[in-house]
Amino acid sequence: MRNRRLAVLMTVLALVAAACGGDRGEDTSTPSTTDAPSDTTEDTESDGDEPGPGDYGTLTDVCGPNEGGGTLPDLGDDELLGITEDSIEVGTVSDPGYEQRPGLNQEIFDAATAFVEWCNQAGGINGKTLTLNLHDAAILEYQPVVEEACRTDFALVGAGAVQDNLWPDVGAACGLIDIAGFSVTPQKAGFVGEDLIANRSVQAIPNASDQVGVGANRLLQEEFPEAAQATGFIYGDLQTLVTVYERYAEGWENAGHTVVHAEPYNSIAGESNWQPFVIGLQDDGVEFLNFVGEGQNLALLQRAMAEVGYSPEVTLQETNFYDEEYLAAAGDAADGTFIRSVLWPFFEADENPATQRYIDTVEAIDGKIATLGAQSTSAWLLFAQAVKECDLANELSRSCVLETAAAVSDWDAGGLHAPTNPSENVASECVVVLQVVEGEFTRWAPDDGYYCDEENVVDIGRTAE
């Protein structure tokens, strides 16, 4: 199975870990719970003060007028491509133009547009205006659009695209730097402790290819003790989706699951009839299901299951399913589905200024609000912080921004998500678990904040081919 490796991707990554609620049999001698968005930076808003125009949650003056510095170092065109003393030209790559799935990950572009407009209105990054290039890879055009970015952009920021396995031979090879919205393949996402400078990419929310988050699995096993012994996977037949499935299967097995069913579906053309998949799941007695793909296809599978009155005891999905479009497509068939995320829930934005800021900025451009957009915004904030630090020191360059971002070991994007460690490229041990109830996303566990436990992340074997 493990000699089947990546070529192309049509979905997005799994975020990390999962949750445990105090009223669900929690072992309080081991886990810990973060009761509110963590403050992991020195810059904080004053208690009771309204946020400033350039503040983002607990991050103050992310964007604003020039505060000093601003003189560019004499390092040559490769290091200074796309920047002047007054501006920075940056790019974002995603796949919304794919003909078979229009709008795929549009939230990545919307997050980029919203952040740039908000930042420029606040004064830019240390007074430097951002210019944004949106590079639509449309799944099959990753190489040419990244080659285009190589000619124009100082950096790629907040990006997430299907064929990121090509990054080393295209983006890194031309000297680009990347503060990623998400990365999936081993070639792009890398491994724990890998040299981020050599890979020229830093993830604000790491997804190392030799780790799998299983916190939600552990919690759900406590609530539904028999279901994990009859685990099933339905996964896309593209090689990268096969790789994602293989990662999950190994990680879940390490966490006590027994896989009794695994079946691919047609990722590109889709399936005209999902009933055979339902029959296969039923025949093998699957009670704990994971669907590796995107919401539109899971919705079709769940509708087919509803038609015959079958539903696994547990369906656990990754953070990209926290999307209103999935709910609309699945209707009542989505009810009961669990979703894990390290991002603060949107429906609790009134408790978290960073989440509210994300929603407000995206709504200001009539964009799509979704977790991948918030995740992309985390990358923009990490980039902005690194740019400002380098610019104040009169050292703004690709190398300085990359090294500064790669040195951050405690990051929560001003409270937008649970703490992460970009510098070591390790997954977060904290998570919140959501459940669809009567057509709406709700908090399932923990009761407040995040559930954090070092055992929520398991190691798996390294395979980079």
Side-chain angles (χ1 to χ4, degrees):
M1 179 172 64
R2 285 176 173 73
N3 62 0
R4 301 165 64 188
R5 290 293 157 194
L6 353 272
V8 61
L9 174 63
M10 175 168 183
T11 190
V12 295
L13 71 156
L15 285 183
V16 295
C20 179
D23 58 348
R24 294 187 170 88
E26 180 180 16
D27 179 1
T28 57
S29 65
T30 300
S32 61
T33 301
T34 301
D35 292 325
S38 62
D39 177 6
T40 60
T41 67
E42 294 182 0
D43 294 330
T44 59
E45 297 172 22
S46 299
D47 291 341
D49 291 345
E50 289 295 321
D55 297 348
Y56 217 107
T58 61
L59 298 173
T60 59
D61 299 325
V62 173
C63 296
N66 180 271
E67 297 178 14
T71 301
L72 299 180
D74 185 12
L75 294 176
D77 293 342
D78 287 346
E79 284 287 338
L80 303 180
L81 178 67
I83 59 175
T84 70
E85 292 188 354
D86 302 313
S87 66
I88 308 173
E89 188 168 0
V90 289
T92 296
V93 180
S94 192
D95 295 303
Y98 179 53
E99 184 177 355
Q100 300 299 320
R101 177 62 173 86
L104 182 64
N105 298 340
Q106 175 65 41
E107 57 265 35
I108 298 290
F109 277 1
D110 290 347
T113 301
F115 184 88
V116 167
E117 290 198 9
W118 168 78
C119 187
N120 285 342
Q121 288 174 3
I125 302 178
N126 198 37
K128 286 180 166 56
T129 299
L130 293 172
T131 300
L132 176 63
N133 297 320
L134 297 176
H135 303 286
D136 192 343
I139 290 188
L140 303 177
E141 301 298 322
Y142 182 87
Q143 180 168 337
V145 300
V146 174
E147 288 174 345
E148 177 183 287
C150 288
R151 296 188 291 269
T152 60
D153 299 342
F154 174 68
L156 293 181
V157 186
V162 164
Q163 296 195 66
D164 69 3
N165 57 298
L166 300 176
W167 169 255
D169 296 327
V170 185
C174 81
L176 261 177
I177 62 172
D178 169 66
I179 311 300
F182 70 79
S183 300
V184 181
T185 67
Q187 292 92 333
K188 183 69 156 48
F191 303 103
V192 173
E194 190 171 57
D195 185 352
L196 303 179
I197 306 305
N199 196 35
R200 300 191 70 78
S201 179
V202 177
Q203 298 178 78
I205 301 179
N207 180 47
S209 295
D210 51 351
Q211 288 186 328
V212 174
V214 296
N217 306 66
R218 295 172 62 218
L219 170 60
L220 288 163
Q221 283 174 293
E222 293 180 6
E223 189 77 2
F224 308 98
E226 302 300 325
Q229 302 312 306
T231 295
F233 288 92
I234 302 294
Y235 59 93
D237 60 359
L238 293 175
Q239 284 301 300
T240 301
L241 292 184
V242 173
T243 300
V244 172
Y245 148 66
E246 291 176 355
R247 283 183 59 206
Y248 291 176
E250 182 176 350
W252 287 26
E253 286 172 345
N254 289 349
H257 286 253
T258 298
V259 178
V260 299
H261 184 92
E263 185 176 4
Y265 70 91
N266 191 318
S267 302
I268 296 296
E271 296 287 345
S272 60
N273 183 8
W274 287 90
Q275 288 295 337
F277 294 89
V278 177
I279 293 171
L281 293 168
Q282 281 184 303
D283 287 348
D284 287 338
V286 170
E287 292 296 341
F288 200 121
L289 175 65
N290 178 257
F291 185 91
V292 181
E294 56 147 348
Q296 300 294 320
N297 283 320
L298 174 60
L300 293 172
L301 174 64
Q302 289 181 316
R303 283 184 175 275
M305 290 193 294
E307 288 177 3
V308 299
Y310 162 73
S311 178
E313 194 168 22
V314 177
T315 298
L316 174 62
Q317 293 304 127
E318 302 303 330
T319 193
N320 57 302
F321 288 81
Y322 184 14
D323 187 334
E324 294 294 333
E325 290 185 0
Y326 159 62
L327 291 186
D332 293 344
D335 274 11
T337 301
F338 295 96
I339 296 170
R340 59 177 136 206
S341 177
V342 298
L343 290 147
W344 192 260
F346 300 140
F347 53 80
E348 296 177 355
D350 60 343
E351 302 174 21
N352 187 8
T355 303
Q356 189 63 60
R357 178 72 88 182
Y358 165 72
I359 292 171
D360 290 344
T361 57
V362 175
E363 286 183 343
I365 65 158
D366 295 323
K368 178 184 176 182
I369 295 167
T371 50
L372 289 181
Q375 184 165 321
S376 175
T377 300
S378 177
W380 279 98
L381 290 164
L382 184 61
F383 171 77
Q385 179 173 280
V387 167
K388 184 175 180 179
E389 182 175 333
C390 291
D391 200 34
L392 287 172
N394 295 317
E395 295 178 358
L396 181 57
S397 66
R398 282 175 165 174
S399 291
C400 182
V401 171
L402 181 63
E403 292 166 5
T404 301
V408 175
S409 60
D410 195 1
W411 179 250
D412 69 357
L416 196 58
H417 54 73
T420 65
N421 184 351
S423 68
E424 295 296 324
N425 200 34
V426 297
S428 175
E429 299 171 353
C430 302
V431 78
V432 59
V433 178
L434 310 178
Q435 187 180 31
V436 180
V437 177
E438 296 182 352
E440 296 183 353
F441 295 109
T442 65
R443 174 184 283 271
W444 189 69
D447 293 335
D448 300 289
Y450 301 98
Y451 165 66
C452 303
D453 187 344
E454 63 182 10
E455 294 185 15
N456 285 348
V457 180
V458 297
D459 296 330
I460 62 172
R462 294 190 175 194
T463 305
E465 298 178 356

